[in-house]
Amino acid sequence: MNENMKLILDKIKEYDKIFIFRHFRPDGDAIGSTKGLARILQLTYPEKEIRLQNCDFSDYLAFLGGEDPIQPDEAYADALGIVVDTGTQKRISNQKFTLCKEIIKIDHHIPIDNYGDYRWVEEERSSSCEMIAAFYDAFKEELKIDKEAATYIYTGMVTDSGRFRFRDVSGETMRLAGVILQQGVDTEQLYARLYLKDFESFKFESYVYKKMNITENGVATLYVTEKMKKKFSLSNEDASAAVSYMDSIKGALIWLAFIDNGDGSIRVRLRSRFITVSELAERYRGGGHACAAGATVYSKAEMKQLIAEADAMLKEYKEKNEDWL
């Protein structure tokens, strides 16, 4: 048992009011870990006030339900704040977290911003939901869980691990997934909600294959413009999913998707095989995992610069490594 787990449980017991936060533009792990933790605590401590405090959500995960209303400033003064799945303060969707009396950080990203009074960070974990599963498993004699909480947690474990394919997946990941599945998660319905797509999405996918490019050294790129999003009635999340369309190109060890946000900024999703791209993301207002990160650029010039840097990284990697497939 990680000693930080016991400290966190003690702090949870100490407070009557607990507010839980995550990052903006939330993915399955951010939503699953926060909602899963909140549900476990609500079941275990029905006398406590436990609320999610987040400013946005993702349409494609709407089946997981909504959030609690944001509280007035004075409500945070006597609360314990728990921020999950968020590496840096600036990415926390509700900045009122700073008003909490004490703050706990639970995260599996590479530690960049050591905010919070107490921190439990394990970057080798496949997801923050895996950490919440481990937290439950460590104290299952006193913590309560049900099918609803388990579904939240399993959703994040599945989505953040690429259906248990990514490098951070371990035997412990699979053991904890089994612990969560024992609560009766309906995997058939869950996978249908996560992976079935509207017909228009397939039209977009076929269109994308005509628009993607590849650099001299094998960086696959795609730029999803506002015009493309309107043409296929895509949300930002739908458009962002296009990064996965490039993950099986032989010789392309880095793939980048650029998505117009409609406000002058361009979201960047960086993915890689073998090569660390998180440091590149950090240079462009982002961060994340070694092989899965996000960033933001504000012009096509910046976009071209990022691509050039990725191409140089890949060239160097291929020159120094013979077993890159």
Side-chain angles (χ1 to χ4, degrees), residues 149-167:
T151 299
Y152 295 142
I153 295 167
Y154 192 72
T155 297
M157 293 185 76
V158 168
T159 55
D160 231 40
S161 67
R163 292 187 244 186
F164 303 107
R165 293 183 298 114
F166 296 161
R167 64 164 60 177

PDB file of all heavy atoms in Angstrom, residues 149-167:
ATOM      1  N   ALA A 149     -20.430   3.213  -9.428  1.00  0.00           N
ATOM      2  CA  ALA A 149     -19.050   3.676  -9.209  1.00  0.00           C
ATOM      3  C   ALA A 149     -18.076   2.856 -10.035  1.00  0.00           C
ATOM      4  O   ALA A 149     -17.127   3.393 -10.631  1.00  0.00           O
ATOM      5  CB  ALA A 149     -18.702   3.585  -7.724  1.00  0.00           C
ATOM      6  N   ALA A 150     -18.287   1.547 -10.079  1.00  0.00           N
ATOM      7  CA  ALA A 150     -17.399   0.669 -10.831  1.00  0.00           C
ATOM      8  C   ALA A 150     -17.427   0.980 -12.324  1.00  0.00           C
ATOM      9  O   ALA A 150     -16.399   0.939 -13.003  1.00  0.00           O
ATOM     10  CB  ALA A 150     -17.795  -0.785 -10.585  1.00  0.00           C
ATOM     11  N   THR A 151     -18.609   1.322 -12.837  1.00  0.00           N
ATOM     12  CA  THR A 151     -18.727   1.655 -14.257  1.00  0.00           C
ATOM     13  C   THR A 151     -17.932   2.914 -14.583  1.00  0.00           C
ATOM     14  O   THR A 151     -17.248   2.979 -15.616  1.00  0.00           O
ATOM     15  CB  THR A 151     -20.207   1.832 -14.647  1.00  0.00           C
ATOM     16  OG1 THR A 151     -20.903   0.606 -14.415  1.00  0.00           O
ATOM     17  CG2 THR A 151     -20.341   2.217 -16.117  1.00  0.00           C
ATOM     18  N   TYR A 152     -18.015   3.919 -13.718  1.00  0.00           N
ATOM     19  CA  TYR A 152     -17.212   5.126 -13.920  1.00  0.00           C
ATOM     20  C   TYR A 152     -15.730   4.771 -13.988  1.00  0.00           C
ATOM     21  O   TYR A 152     -15.001   5.203 -14.896  1.00  0.00           O
ATOM     22  CB  TYR A 152     -17.423   6.117 -12.769  1.00  0.00           C
ATOM     23  CG  TYR A 152     -18.813   6.684 -12.637  1.00  0.00           C
ATOM     24  CD1 TYR A 152     -19.367   6.906 -11.369  1.00  0.00           C
ATOM     25  CD2 TYR A 152     -19.571   7.014 -13.752  1.00  0.00           C
ATOM     26  CE1 TYR A 152     -20.635   7.446 -11.223  1.00  0.00           C
ATOM     27  CE2 TYR A 152     -20.846   7.547 -13.616  1.00  0.00           C
ATOM     28  CZ  TYR A 152     -21.375   7.761 -12.347  1.00  0.00           C
ATOM     29  OH  TYR A 152     -22.628   8.293 -12.213  1.00  0.00           O
ATOM     30  N   ILE A 153     -15.273   4.004 -13.007  1.00  0.00           N
ATOM     31  CA  ILE A 153     -13.850   3.686 -12.895  1.00  0.00           C
ATOM     32  C   ILE A 153     -13.386   2.829 -14.064  1.00  0.00           C
ATOM     33  O   ILE A 153     -12.334   3.084 -14.669  1.00  0.00           O
ATOM     34  CB  ILE A 153     -13.574   2.978 -11.555  1.00  0.00           C
ATOM     35  CG1 ILE A 153     -13.846   3.939 -10.387  1.00  0.00           C
ATOM     36  CG2 ILE A 153     -12.142   2.460 -11.481  1.00  0.00           C
ATOM     37  CD1 ILE A 153     -13.900   3.278  -9.029  1.00  0.00           C
ATOM     38  N   TYR A 154     -14.166   1.829 -14.418  1.00  0.00           N
ATOM     39  CA  TYR A 154     -13.764   0.945 -15.515  1.00  0.00           C
ATOM     40  C   TYR A 154     -13.731   1.701 -16.842  1.00  0.00           C
ATOM     41  O   TYR A 154     -12.872   1.439 -17.697  1.00  0.00           O
ATOM     42  CB  TYR A 154     -14.714  -0.243 -15.607  1.00  0.00           C
ATOM     43  CG  TYR A 154     -14.210  -1.337 -16.515  1.00  0.00           C
ATOM     44  CD1 TYR A 154     -13.145  -2.149 -16.133  1.00  0.00           C
ATOM     45  CD2 TYR A 154     -14.786  -1.555 -17.767  1.00  0.00           C
ATOM     46  CE1 TYR A 154     -12.667  -3.138 -16.973  1.00  0.00           C
ATOM     47  CE2 TYR A 154     -14.321  -2.550 -18.612  1.00  0.00           C
ATOM     48  CZ  TYR A 154     -13.260  -3.338 -18.212  1.00  0.00           C
ATOM     49  OH  TYR A 154     -12.780  -4.320 -19.045  1.00  0.00           O
ATOM     50  N   THR A 155     -14.632   2.662 -17.016  1.00  0.00           N
ATOM     51  CA  THR A 155     -14.628   3.477 -18.235  1.00  0.00           C
ATOM     52  C   THR A 155     -13.291   4.169 -18.411  1.00  0.00           C
ATOM     53  O   THR A 155     -12.711   4.169 -19.507  1.00  0.00           O
ATOM     54  CB  THR A 155     -15.757   4.526 -18.183  1.00  0.00           C
ATOM     55  OG1 THR A 155     -17.022   3.868 -18.136  1.00  0.00           O
ATOM     56  CG2 THR A 155     -15.714   5.436 -19.412  1.00  0.00           C
ATOM     57  N   GLY A 156     -12.796   4.775 -17.347  1.00  0.00           N
ATOM     58  CA  GLY A 156     -11.515   5.465 -17.427  1.00  0.00           C
ATOM     59  C   GLY A 156     -10.345   4.523 -17.633  1.00  0.00           C
ATOM     60  O   GLY A 156      -9.395   4.843 -18.355  1.00  0.00           O
ATOM     61  N   MET A 157     -10.407   3.355 -17.013  1.00  0.00           N
ATOM     62  CA  MET A 157      -9.332   2.377 -17.189  1.00  0.00           C
ATOM     63  C   MET A 157      -9.263   1.909 -18.637  1.00  0.00           C
ATOM     64  O   MET A 157      -8.181   1.781 -19.222  1.00  0.00           O
ATOM     65  CB  MET A 157      -9.551   1.181 -16.259  1.00  0.00           C
ATOM     66  CG  MET A 157      -9.422   1.508 -14.781  1.00  0.00           C
ATOM     67  SD  MET A 157      -9.546   0.056 -13.693  1.00  0.00           S
ATOM     68  CE  MET A 157      -7.929  -0.685 -13.928  1.00  0.00           C
ATOM     69  N   VAL A 158     -10.432   1.681 -19.240  1.00  0.00           N
ATOM     70  CA  VAL A 158     -10.486   1.215 -20.624  1.00  0.00           C
ATOM     71  C   VAL A 158     -10.011   2.298 -21.593  1.00  0.00           C
ATOM     72  O   VAL A 158      -9.176   2.048 -22.470  1.00  0.00           O
ATOM     73  CB  VAL A 158     -11.925   0.776 -20.988  1.00  0.00           C
ATOM     74  CG1 VAL A 158     -12.075   0.571 -22.496  1.00  0.00           C
ATOM     75  CG2 VAL A 158     -12.285  -0.496 -20.250  1.00  0.00           C
ATOM     76  N   THR A 159     -10.532   3.506 -21.441  1.00  0.00           N
ATOM     77  CA  THR A 159     -10.245   4.554 -22.421  1.00  0.00           C
ATOM     78  C   THR A 159      -8.811   5.067 -22.323  1.00  0.00           C
ATOM     79  O   THR A 159      -8.168   5.309 -23.342  1.00  0.00           O
ATOM     80  CB  THR A 159     -11.227   5.729 -22.267  1.00  0.00           C
ATOM     81  OG1 THR A 159     -11.196   6.198 -20.904  1.00  0.00           O
ATOM     82  CG2 THR A 159     -12.641   5.293 -22.605  1.00  0.00           C
ATOM     83  N   ASP A 160      -8.281   5.218 -21.116  1.00  0.00           N
ATOM     84  CA  ASP A 160      -6.942   5.783 -20.986  1.00  0.00           C
ATOM     85  C   ASP A 160      -5.842   4.773 -21.291  1.00  0.00           C
ATOM     86  O   ASP A 160      -4.697   5.160 -21.515  1.00  0.00           O
ATOM     87  CB  ASP A 160      -6.738   6.361 -19.588  1.00  0.00           C
ATOM     88  CG  ASP A 160      -6.224   7.792 -19.623  1.00  0.00           C
ATOM     89  OD1 ASP A 160      -6.686   8.572 -20.483  1.00  0.00           O
ATOM     90  OD2 ASP A 160      -5.358   8.162 -18.789  1.00  0.00           O
ATOM     91  N   SER A 161      -6.178   3.504 -21.303  1.00  0.00           N
ATOM     92  CA  SER A 161      -5.187   2.474 -21.607  1.00  0.00           C
ATOM     93  C   SER A 161      -5.290   1.992 -23.047  1.00  0.00           C
ATOM     94  O   SER A 161      -4.583   1.063 -23.433  1.00  0.00           O
ATOM     95  CB  SER A 161      -5.370   1.275 -20.662  1.00  0.00           C
ATOM     96  OG  SER A 161      -6.598   0.614 -20.927  1.00  0.00           O
ATOM     97  N   GLY A 162      -6.172   2.622 -23.833  1.00  0.00           N
ATOM     98  CA  GLY A 162      -6.382   2.155 -25.207  1.00  0.00           C
ATOM     99  C   GLY A 162      -6.888   0.728 -25.233  1.00  0.00           C
ATOM    100  O   GLY A 162      -6.412  -0.109 -25.986  1.00  0.00           O
ATOM    101  N   ARG A 163      -7.879   0.459 -24.374  1.00  0.00           N
ATOM    102  CA  ARG A 163      -8.430  -0.890 -24.211  1.00  0.00           C
ATOM    103  C   ARG A 163      -7.336  -1.866 -23.779  1.00  0.00           C
ATOM    104  O   ARG A 163      -7.205  -2.976 -24.282  1.00  0.00           O
ATOM    105  CB  ARG A 163      -9.131  -1.359 -25.485  1.00  0.00           C
ATOM    106  CG  ARG A 163     -10.400  -0.578 -25.771  1.00  0.00           C
ATOM    107  CD  ARG A 163     -11.175  -1.168 -26.943  1.00  0.00           C
ATOM    108  NE  ARG A 163     -11.235  -0.231 -28.044  1.00  0.00           N
ATOM    109  CZ  ARG A 163     -11.945  -0.413 -29.156  1.00  0.00           C
ATOM    110  NH1 ARG A 163     -12.651  -1.505 -29.310  1.00  0.00           N
ATOM    111  NH2 ARG A 163     -11.949   0.482 -30.103  1.00  0.00           N
ATOM    112  N   PHE A 164      -6.517  -1.408 -22.847  1.00  0.00           N
ATOM    113  CA  PHE A 164      -5.455  -2.197 -22.213  1.00  0.00           C
ATOM    114  C   PHE A 164      -4.335  -2.576 -23.190  1.00  0.00           C
ATOM    115  O   PHE A 164      -3.714  -3.631 -23.065  1.00  0.00           O
ATOM    116  CB  PHE A 164      -6.041  -3.453 -21.547  1.00  0.00           C
ATOM    117  CG  PHE A 164      -7.103  -3.147 -20.528  1.00  0.00           C
ATOM    118  CD1 PHE A 164      -8.440  -3.399 -20.808  1.00  0.00           C
ATOM    119  CD2 PHE A 164      -6.772  -2.575 -19.317  1.00  0.00           C
ATOM    120  CE1 PHE A 164      -9.429  -3.091 -19.872  1.00  0.00           C
ATOM    121  CE2 PHE A 164      -7.754  -2.266 -18.383  1.00  0.00           C
ATOM    122  CZ  PHE A 164      -9.081  -2.520 -18.649  1.00  0.00           C
ATOM    123  N   ARG A 165      -4.026  -1.673 -24.130  1.00  0.00           N
ATOM    124  CA  ARG A 165      -2.968  -1.922 -25.118  1.00  0.00           C
ATOM    125  C   ARG A 165      -1.704  -1.112 -24.872  1.00  0.00           C
ATOM    126  O   ARG A 165      -0.645  -1.445 -25.403  1.00  0.00           O
ATOM    127  CB  ARG A 165      -3.474  -1.616 -26.537  1.00  0.00           C
ATOM    128  CG  ARG A 165      -4.562  -2.545 -27.049  1.00  0.00           C
ATOM    129  CD  ARG A 165      -4.949  -2.218 -28.480  1.00  0.00           C
ATOM    130  NE  ARG A 165      -5.500  -0.874 -28.597  1.00  0.00           N
ATOM    131  CZ  ARG A 165      -4.934   0.123 -29.261  1.00  0.00           C
ATOM    132  NH1 ARG A 165      -3.789  -0.049 -29.877  1.00  0.00           N
ATOM    133  NH2 ARG A 165      -5.514   1.310 -29.312  1.00  0.00           N
ATOM    134  N   PHE A 166      -1.786  -0.018 -24.115  1.00  0.00           N
ATOM    135  CA  PHE A 166      -0.655   0.897 -24.006  1.00  0.00           C
ATOM    136  C   PHE A 166       0.416   0.369 -23.056  1.00  0.00           C
ATOM    137  O   PHE A 166       0.181  -0.531 -22.244  1.00  0.00           O
ATOM    138  CB  PHE A 166      -1.129   2.275 -23.563  1.00  0.00           C
ATOM    139  CG  PHE A 166      -2.038   2.964 -24.560  1.00  0.00           C
ATOM    140  CD1 PHE A 166      -2.851   4.009 -24.155  1.00  0.00           C
ATOM    141  CD2 PHE A 166      -2.085   2.568 -25.882  1.00  0.00           C
ATOM    142  CE1 PHE A 166      -3.695   4.655 -25.058  1.00  0.00           C
ATOM    143  CE2 PHE A 166      -2.919   3.206 -26.795  1.00  0.00           C
ATOM    144  CZ  PHE A 166      -3.733   4.258 -26.377  1.00  0.00           C
ATOM    145  N   ARG A 167       1.585   0.984 -23.110  1.00  0.00           N
ATOM    146  CA  ARG A 167       2.762   0.458 -22.428  1.00  0.00           C
ATOM    147  C   ARG A 167       2.648   0.477 -20.906  1.00  0.00           C
ATOM    148  O   ARG A 167       3.322  -0.315 -20.225  1.00  0.00           O
ATOM    149  CB  ARG A 167       4.019   1.232 -22.849  1.00  0.00           C
ATOM    150  CG  ARG A 167       4.013   2.704 -22.450  1.00  0.00           C
ATOM    151  CD  ARG A 167       5.409   3.326 -22.535  1.00  0.00           C
ATOM    152  NE  ARG A 167       5.956   3.265 -23.891  1.00  0.00           N
ATOM    153  CZ  ARG A 167       7.123   3.796 -24.213  1.00  0.00           C
ATOM    154  NH1 ARG A 167       7.850   4.422 -23.300  1.00  0.00           N
ATOM    155  NH2 ARG A 167       7.570   3.721 -25.443  1.00  0.00           N
TER     156      ARG A 167
END
